[in-house]
Amino acid sequence: MLTERQQDTLDFIRNYLNEHNKAPLISEISKGLGIVSQGTTHRYIQALVDQGYIERLVGRTRGLRLIDDNTESDETFSLKLPYMGKVAAGRLIEAVPDESEIDLGDMFSGKDRFVLKVNGDSMIDKAIMSGDYVVMQAQLTANHGDIVLALVDFHDATLKTLLINDDGTLTLQPANDNYDPVTLPADRVMIQGVVVGQLRTYP
Amino acid sequence: MLTERQQDTLDFIRNYLNEHNKAPLISEISKGLGIVSQGTTHRYIQALVDQGYIERLVGRTRGLRLIDDNTESDETFSLKLPYMGKVAAGRLIEAVPDESEIDLGDMFSGKDRFVLKVNGDSMIDKAIMSGDYVVMQAQLTANHGDIVLALVDFHDATLKTLLINDDGTLTLQPANDNYDPVTLPADRVMIQGVVVGQLRTYP
DNA sequence: TGAAATGTTAACCGAACGGCAACAAGATAC
DNA sequence: GTATCTTGTTGCCGTTCGGTTAACATTTCA
């Protein structure tokens, strides 16, 4: 069982790996968690190793690896569609077919991901319409500017842009001028995940 | 596992090969990485060889070759993500987890489908942003109101809403007030497909 | 009150990095 | 062919930075 900060550490490492395709430095984890001491961070990492969440290549910088917890045991999915290049939605340009593929598996699969259907138009200025699906990465922390699923007062879930204010409060900002941003103390807001993808089908 | 500078070296070599169609000199790599000593660079190259990223033709200048890392697996099909219900993007509502799944394969796979990357913002009012991908169903006809990939005068491809006018002409209508619709006789417009889906990833 | 979780400081060690120099091996000029 | 230049190879050195460990302080909670 992980303690709170151990969980935060694991989340941060996962997040970092997703974004950078390499493991973070201990100092980067420390900074990300708001810890001054690398020694403290090191202890958390050691706890994660002891409990089998991650492994490490001893003595190497960035020597952290996640251990796949594939209890699901489904094989690697990959839905590939032919990729035909770019098309201008602005002006008319020549269509240049490109003999490659894009893999929806690569785009959307990942650990701890789930899908929500969006209801309402408050994110319309970010081109997320009512009826769209969003792919969420479940995590407890997020960065300034991320689109997050936030639980307010342990009761109300909402999809908003997260702004982290200097005074420690958080602002949940809709992307629609008809709605007003809400600013709350951090302890009333629980991040449940960040948006990593969005999809829509047309009838 | 590559160290940071080893990765930089590999990136540089890849880049150089792309641009010049020949391998770089060690001195060129050094310069590119901001290293004075060729000996240092040579050590990085040796590390890349040892780890199987590149091979070399010994004793030859520019004797570097990339080794194809085709660890790709095929076998397509269903990518399922857990579906967690609806969330309000408008007002705050309760999150009701829903224990079902959504299958991207069902949503997007099909006969004669392909993907385009959208460049430009002319469809922004339909919540299709520059950088989004659209899934197209290849077909030669379309209905009034469909978003289509249209080839104009056998030359210019564009993504627009198709309007079929009473007089037999077609109007290609952007979803952006900054752009003007174009009305053309039907024989100058060739429908290449209609949009059946749209996807986007966030960094 | 005592154990667990959290945080800090400081010291130590080795990996990663970079420079220098001597040398070997092709390439080029003559 | 020989001389010379360019390029590649190797070993050795020092510096910096990141990872590790230990000792100690503070907070939380049962």
Side-chain angles (χ1 to χ4, degrees):
Chain A
M1 196 57 191
L2 296 180
T3 70
E4 203 165 349
R5 291 305 254 164
Q6 286 167 7
Q7 184 66 53
D8 289 346
T9 306
L10 185 55
D11 287 344
F12 181 88
I13 294 171
R14 284 202 182 119
N15 219 6
Y16 193 101
L17 277 168
N18 256 340
E19 281 184 31
H20 300 85
N21 277 324
K22 61 185 178 186
L25 298 176
I26 289 198
S27 58
E28 289 172 330
I29 301 175
S30 303
K31 194 175 171 194
L33 298 180
I35 296 173
V36 174
S37 161
Q38 296 193 10
T40 301
T41 305
H42 183 267
R43 200 191 307 133
Y44 293 140
I45 292 172
Q46 195 55 52
L48 293 174
V49 171
D50 291 344
Q51 294 178 72
Y53 286 87
I54 59 178
E55 66 179 349
R56 78 198 322 167
L57 313 173
V58 284
R60 303 204 34 146
T61 61
R62 304 184 187 276
L64 294 178
R65 289 261 178 89
L66 286 184
I67 292 180
D68 281 345
D69 188 20
N70 264 338
T71 20
E72 287 297 324
S73 85
D74 280 313
E75 312 175 19
T76 43
F77 329 91
S78 91
L79 170 61
K80 292 187 171 126
L81 292 172
Y83 178 57
M84 296 290 285
K86 296 181 184 174
V87 62
R91 63 199 181 293
L92 304 181
I93 65 162
E94 191 173 2
V96 182
D98 183 336
E99 290 299 324
S100 62
E101 288 182 323
I102 82 159
D103 187 334
L104 268 57
D106 286 348
M107 287 177 73
F108 292 122
S109 67
K111 194 163 159 49
D112 295 329
R113 293 197 170 179
F114 60 95
V115 172
L116 293 174
K117 186 167 189 173
V118 175
N119 187 13
D121 60 355
S122 83
M123 297 304 290
I124 190 64
D125 290 345
K126 294 266 186 193
I128 297 176
M129 298 199 299
S130 189
D132 285 4
Y133 296 91
V134 287
V135 181
M136 308 291 305
Q137 173 79 45
Q139 57 187 58
L140 301 177
T141 60
N143 297 320
H144 185 86
D146 286 350
I147 302 176
V148 302
L149 176 67
L151 192 64
V152 177
D153 294 335
F154 297 92
H155 187 267
D156 299 309
T158 181
L159 201 65
K160 294 284 190 312
T161 300
L162 175 72
L163 303 179
I164 302 174
N165 304 315
D166 290 339
D167 62 2
T169 63
L170 303 176
T171 297
L172 300 176
Q173 182 171 54
N176 184 331
D177 292 340
N178 298 325
Y179 296 87
D180 292 322
V182 179
T183 297
L184 295 164
D187 59 5
R188 289 181 58 194
V189 178
M190 185 177 215
I191 305 297
Q192 305 211 296
V194 305
V195 172
V196 295
Q198 173 269 149
L199 17 118
R200 180 188 308 147
T201 55
Y202 293 84
Chain B
M1 191 69 179
L2 296 180
T3 69
E4 226 153 343
R5 290 305 254 167
Q6 286 166 11
Q7 185 69 53
D8 290 345
T9 306
L10 184 55
D11 290 344
F12 181 88
I13 294 171
R14 286 208 180 110
N15 258 343
Y16 193 101
L17 278 168
N18 258 341
E19 281 185 33
H20 301 84
N21 279 323
K22 60 185 178 183
L25 298 175
I26 289 196
S27 57
E28 290 172 329
I29 301 175
S30 302
K31 194 175 171 192
L33 298 179
I35 296 173
V36 175
S37 161
Q38 296 192 11
T40 302
T41 305
H42 182 268
R43 200 190 311 132
Y44 293 141
I45 292 172
Q46 194 56 50
L48 293 174
V49 171
D50 291 344
Q51 294 179 70
Y53 286 87
I54 58 178
E55 66 179 349
R56 75 199 324 168
L57 313 173
V58 285
R60 313 222 2 141
T61 59
R62 303 184 186 277
L64 296 177
R65 290 262 178 89
L66 286 184
I67 293 179
D68 279 347
D69 186 23
N70 263 336
T71 31
E72 293 302 318
S73 58
D74 6 69
E75 289 312 317
T76 22
F77 312 120
S78 98
L79 169 62
K80 293 190 170 82
L81 291 171
Y83 179 56
M84 296 289 286
K86 297 182 184 175
V87 62
R91 63 199 182 292
L92 304 181
I93 65 162
E94 192 171 1
V96 182
D98 184 336
E99 289 301 324
S100 61
E101 283 184 327
I102 171 172
D103 189 335
L104 268 59
D106 288 348
M107 288 177 71
F108 292 122
S109 66
K111 189 165 158 51
D112 295 331
R113 293 197 170 178
F114 60 96
V115 173
L116 291 174
K117 185 168 191 174
V118 175
N119 187 14
D121 59 355
S122 84
M123 296 305 289
I124 190 66
D125 290 344
K126 294 268 187 192
I128 297 175
M129 296 200 298
S130 190
D132 286 4
Y133 296 91
V134 288
V135 181
M136 308 292 303
Q137 173 77 46
Q139 57 188 59
L140 300 178
T141 60
N143 296 319
H144 184 86
D146 286 351
I147 301 175
V148 301
L149 177 67
L151 192 65
V152 176
D153 293 335
F154 297 95
H155 189 267
D156 298 308
T158 182
L159 202 64
K160 294 286 189 310
T161 300
L162 175 73
L163 303 179
I164 302 175
N165 304 315
D166 290 339
D167 62 3
T169 62
L170 303 176
T171 297
L172 300 176
Q173 181 171 53
N176 184 331
D177 292 341
N178 298 325
Y179 296 87
D180 294 322
V182 179
T183 297
L184 295 165
D187 60 3
R188 289 181 58 195
V189 178
M190 186 176 207
I191 305 298
Q192 304 211 295
V194 304
V195 172
V196 294
Q198 174 268 149
L199 14 123
R200 180 188 308 146
T201 57
Y202 293 84

